[in-house]
Amino acid sequence: MRVLVLEKDPNTTWLITRILKDYDLIPLSSVKDAEIILENERVDLVISGISLNDGSIWDLKDYFEKIPFIAISTNPAIDRIDDLLSANVSDYIKKPITKDKLLGTIQRVIEKKKESEGDIVILE
């Protein structure tokens, strides 16, 4: 699975890349760079902080319905998570990020995507 990790905090990026070391990862911190990747390359999932170096996750809203997005938030109330979910962000993770929380959220998002595409999901 190809995952775009979009986060301005290098410590959070490091943690996510350690947890997802077996995935094909593209770590970035800017909206501009993310738009280039999203327009020109295959990406299966985006994990993004709310605030980025040159904008915010909202600058990528045109991609929310095309690619599953997981938002990372320190404070869901301040970051308007409900608005993001209404705008078709797939899910969110509240910091601090743990391995179980990240992998569980990714699994949930993948299952939702398979169900919406009509694939049969068998849970063991």
Side-chain angles (χ1 to χ4, degrees), residues 4 6 28-38 54:
L4 174 59
L6 191 54
L28 298 173
S29 60
S30 87
V31 171
K32 182 179 177 184
D33 293 340
E35 287 175 326
I36 292 168
I37 295 295
L38 292 169
D54 60 348

Side-chain angles (χ1 to χ4, degrees), residues 66-88:
K66 299 173 188 171
I67 302 166
F69 268 72
I70 297 173
I72 302 168
S73 172
T74 303
N75 187 334
I78 291 173
D79 290 332
R80 305 181 341 200
I81 294 298
D82 289 339
D83 292 341
L84 284 168
L85 292 172
S86 295
N88 290 317

Side-chain angles (χ1 to χ4, degrees), residues 97-110:
I97 296 171
T98 64
K99 181 177 182 178
D100 289 343
K101 196 186 306 185
L102 180 59
L103 294 177
T105 303
I106 290 170
Q107 183 64 35
R108 217 174 23 255
V109 167
I110 290 168

